[in-house]
Amino acid sequence: KTSQPSQRRTFFQEEDICLAVNAETNQLMHYQPMTKRGFQIDISRFDANPSLQMRYDLEYGHVSVCSPEALSLFTDEFDWQDLHNDFVPGVLYSEILSYQIHTHIVTEGYSGRLTSLNSYGAMGRDIIHRWSYPLVPDVNLFCDSSYEYFHPGVYKEENVSLSQSCVIGEDTLIGSRTKVGELAKVSDSVIGRGCTIGSGAQISGCIIFANVSIGANAKLTDCIVCEDVDIMSGVEVEKNSVIGGGVILGEGVKISEGTRIAAAKRNKDAEDDDDDFGDDDFEDGDKEEEEMVTDRAVVGELGRGWVWKPEEDETESLIAELVSLKVEDDEGDDECEGESDDEDDDDEDEDSGQKGALTFEQEVEDIVRRGVEEDVKADNISMEVNSRKFAHDKSFGDCSCVILVTMLRTMPFVASRKEAFAGVQKLVKKWSGLIKKFARSADDQQATIEAMEAFVLEEQWKVHKLMMPILKTCYDEDIFEDEAILNWAQDAKEREDDGSAKTLVAECKTLLDYLEEDDDDDDDDDEDDE
């Protein structure tokens, strides 16, 4: 759909796109997320399509109409995981596939897709700002709603009680049977039905579901509060927090930024569910279960709820040697905790676990080392690495970390620093296409730089100070974006280690200064254009 540059709002980098469209047939000829420096297109496409239009005024409407063959393509191309980054470029630039993609540009209406809490909040603001008209609250499409619109940007249902001294700011929606106390301030928020907001409470940028009680002098900023939550007086909830249904927050507690709190009981471990149980088991365990699901240190003595965190996947280092060290450390801990009768069995399990942890990195290293030494085509190496990535359920970043470090380790050691620089440039330039296939996002690139630290700090290479030459060459070849390099430098400065990371940042000072100045110049140009 069309949008003015001032209205463009992208939640993810892949949605900030520039397209080349055949004006006569609406066929999509080029698709590029604007995550790289500048816009790049094969000039030969203009020869075949003289009416080609470059469009940077479009937003993806999150609607795709595909033929049945699209499903089979996702099955055949097992490394395609994303519509933006994989499917569309894969179809457009494939030398084998003959499929075409056509566009339909919508100039009216509103569309969007809820994929995250960020997009949930943003689309809610769009509705309040009436971008989705006629789908706005005061149209009252549902029979039981009675919203009215009051300037500036306030929606209010019937039976809402507002004290004389409360302040209701713009972009606010308040449901029926809600009461707002004296000196309370509410702005840029959605308040559900049947809520109570105490005196002196401050609510800004929040989504409050139905039947929520907020005590006096509580402060909520940019958070989501689900149904039937009781927030007592003096509570402070910082931004990006989510308070689940039925949670109780005791007086004066402070919920730090990004915290998720739930009141539902935790799932028991699978091993706890193996035995049969009856009603008596629940009765005997009720008290223990209640204590288990309440974190008093977070929600207060009178509170109810526990901090929810996503399950942590098994973390593996990106280089085989580092994985080996980590597994050995884990073995030591397990042996100390295990009983003497089970030592032999534990050792066997740990040995098999170590072999499994090493498998992916070692296999990719073998593929890349053999490819570099035998000068195998980059596409063939990429195909083999992709098969390993799929087999082990790894990310592109996992692959790029191993690929670049393994390539660097194929260089023979030279005493001359000048020759070492030349060797790095030659190697990176030759295999830049392969590295780009896997170092796709800024996060992948930053992880690859961090993995590269182990190589440049090796005893034989440390004297040559290769970090800046490698980064400079990768930057010139459009392998690493300036954002990834600057983020790596910032994180390295804050890292608590033996100081080696800070030393590498100091070695790259010239390059980092140049990138920061370049970013400042770009910002100045953008301001001038505005």
Side-chain angles (χ1 to χ4, degrees):
K1 63 178 182 179
T2 57
S3 66
Q4 298 297 325
S6 60
Q7 300 170 2
R8 290 181 63 84
R9 182 191 65 247
T10 56
F11 303 116
F12 306 101
Q13 287 182 332
E14 61 266 22
E15 293 186 359
D16 185 17
I17 55 176
C18 187
L19 309 178
V21 180
N22 187 318
E24 297 177 355
T25 64
N26 285 334
Q27 181 180 352
L28 182 64
M29 305 305 300
H30 182 73
Y31 178 98
Q32 178 184 329
M34 298 300 287
T35 57
K36 298 287 185 181
R37 291 177 296 137
F39 179 76
Q40 301 173 350
I41 184 172
D42 186 357
I43 196 171
S44 63
R45 293 188 178 272
F46 289 95
D47 296 334
N49 301 274
S51 59
L52 204 63
Q53 289 184 345
M54 314 306 298
R55 302 292 298 268
Y56 190 49
D57 61 335
L58 303 176
E59 291 184 37
Y60 179 48
H62 297 282
V63 178
S64 300
V65 181
C66 305
S67 63
E69 285 79 1
L71 299 177
S72 62
L73 285 177
F74 270 107
T75 302
D76 296 339
E77 303 292 339
F78 51 80
D79 59 325
W80 287 2
Q81 299 181 356
D82 183 83
L83 183 69
H84 293 276
N85 293 330
D86 302 320
F87 180 81
V88 174
V91 171
L92 287 181
Y93 306 113
S94 174
E95 297 179 357
I96 301 175
L97 302 176
S98 58
Y99 299 108
Q100 296 179 350
I101 299 177
H102 290 261
T103 64
H104 177 67
I105 300 175
V106 179
T107 57
E108 297 180 353
Y110 179 87
S111 67
R113 183 183 180 190
L114 295 178
T115 58
S116 65
L117 294 178
N118 187 1
S119 59
Y120 176 63
M123 291 181 66
R125 286 191 291 272
D126 282 349
I127 295 174
I128 291 177
H129 291 162
R130 309 182 73 81
W131 287 107
S132 59
Y133 187 84
L135 301 178
V136 291
D138 54 301
V139 172
N140 294 309
L141 293 176
F142 302 101
C143 297
D144 62 342
S145 64
S146 57
Y147 286 102
E148 292 184 50
Y149 177 75
F150 300 89
H151 184 79
V154 175
Y155 298 85
K156 186 168 66 71
E157 270 195 299
E158 297 176 350
N159 300 322
V160 172
S161 176
L162 303 178
S163 64
Q164 290 186 343
S165 59
C166 74
V167 178
I168 306 299
E170 61 183 12
D171 300 336
T172 298
L173 182 145
I174 303 177
S176 65
R177 305 188 310 280
T178 291
K179 300 179 180 179
V180 183
E182 298 289 343
L183 300 176
K185 296 181 179 180
V186 181
S187 64
D188 192 25
S189 298
V190 175
I191 310 297
R193 294 173 173 174
C195 295
T196 302
I197 301 175
S199 301
Q202 300 181 38
I203 301 175
S204 174
C206 299
I207 299 176
I208 310 295
F209 285 50
N211 303 318
V212 173
S213 175
I214 300 175
N217 299 313
K219 183 178 180 181
L220 285 69
T221 306
D222 296 334
C223 62
I224 296 178
V225 180
C226 299
E227 294 182 345
D228 302 316
V229 171
D230 186 0
I231 299 177
M232 299 185 183
S233 61
V235 172
E236 181 177 354
V237 182
E238 296 185 344
K239 63 180 182 179
N240 297 328
S241 297
V242 179
I243 311 300
V247 169
I248 299 176
L249 300 181
E251 291 188 7
V253 301
K254 180 177 181 180
I255 306 302
S256 58
E257 179 179 345
T259 303
R260 270 66 167 159
I261 299 181
K265 294 182 179 180
R266 301 178 195 262
N267 292 327
K268 291 186 177 181
D269 295 335
E271 60 185 22
D272 294 335
D273 296 333
D274 290 342
D275 299 330
D276 295 333
F277 54 83
D279 295 338
D280 293 340
D281 296 329
F282 283 108
E283 294 175 0
D284 295 339
D286 281 348
K287 183 176 180 181
E288 180 180 356
E289 189 78 15
E290 182 67 25
E291 292 177 352
M292 181 185 68
V293 299
T294 297
D295 190 344
R296 307 290 181 190
V298 176
V299 300
E301 291 298 325
L302 301 178
R304 179 177 64 200
W306 51 277
V307 177
W308 178 88
K309 294 181 180 179
E311 294 183 2
E312 297 182 358
D313 296 332
E314 182 179 354
T315 56
E316 295 180 1
S317 299
L318 300 174
I319 307 301
E321 288 93 340
L322 301 182
V323 175
S324 178
L325 293 174
K326 180 180 184 301
V327 174
E328 290 172 0
D329 291 341
D330 292 341
E331 288 176 3
D333 295 338
D334 293 339
E335 290 174 359
C336 292
E337 295 174 0
E339 296 181 0
S340 58
D341 294 340
D342 299 329
E343 284 182 358
D344 295 338
D345 293 337
D346 291 343
D347 291 340
E348 291 177 2
D349 294 340
E350 289 157 10
D351 290 341
S352 62
Q354 179 173 348
K355 292 177 182 177
L358 293 173
T359 298
F360 169 73
E361 285 77 11
Q362 285 187 331
E363 288 184 358
V364 174
E365 285 179 0
D366 291 341
I367 292 170
V368 175
R369 185 178 293 108
R370 185 180 69 253
V372 173
E373 293 174 351
E374 299 178 6
D375 200 20
V376 178
K377 289 184 177 179
D379 288 343
N380 294 341
I381 298 177
S382 173
M383 186 179 300
E384 289 193 59
V385 173
N386 265 324
S387 68
R388 295 298 87 207
K389 168 182 167 293
F390 177 73
H392 293 275
D393 192 22
K394 297 294 182 177
S395 66
F396 288 105
D398 295 333
C399 298
S400 65
C401 291
V402 181
I403 289 172
L404 182 55
V405 174
T406 303
M407 285 181 176
L408 293 172
R409 285 188 172 140
T410 62
M411 290 195 311
F413 177 74
V414 291
S416 170
R417 188 182 182 190
K418 183 177 180 180
E419 292 180 8
F421 285 10
V424 165
Q425 289 182 332
K426 181 179 179 181
L427 187 69
V428 172
K429 288 181 178 180
K430 180 176 181 179
W431 298 103
S432 61
L434 175 62
I435 305 172
K436 288 180 187 178
K437 288 179 180 290
F438 295 93
R440 298 190 173 192
S441 68
D443 290 339
D444 293 341
Q445 295 162 19
Q446 182 178 345
T448 305
I449 298 172
E450 292 173 357
M452 198 169 62
E453 293 177 12
F455 168 76
V456 298
L457 290 173
E458 289 178 359
E459 194 63 33
Q460 61 176 350
W461 292 111
K462 188 174 181 180
V463 66
H464 290 327
K465 299 181 179 180
L466 292 178
M467 194 63 169
M468 190 173 79
I470 297 174
L471 290 181
K472 177 66 165 58
T473 306
C474 289
Y475 177 75
D476 292 339
E477 295 297 318
D478 289 334
I479 298 173
F480 294 158
E481 303 172 21
D482 51 359
E483 177 187 357
I485 298 175
L486 293 173
N487 287 345
W488 162 78
Q490 184 62 34
D491 291 347
K493 291 177 183 177
E494 299 173 355
R495 197 183 308 165
E496 295 181 0
D497 56 12
D498 57 0
S500 57
K502 296 181 178 65
T503 301
L504 294 178
V505 173
E507 293 176 3
C508 302
K509 185 178 184 304
T510 304
L511 175 61
L512 296 173
D513 290 344
Y514 168 77
L515 295 179
E516 289 175 352
E517 291 176 2
D518 191 34
D519 277 353
D520 292 339
D521 292 342
D522 291 341
D523 293 339
D524 292 339
D525 292 341
D526 292 340
E527 292 177 1
D528 293 340
D529 293 340
E530 293 177 359

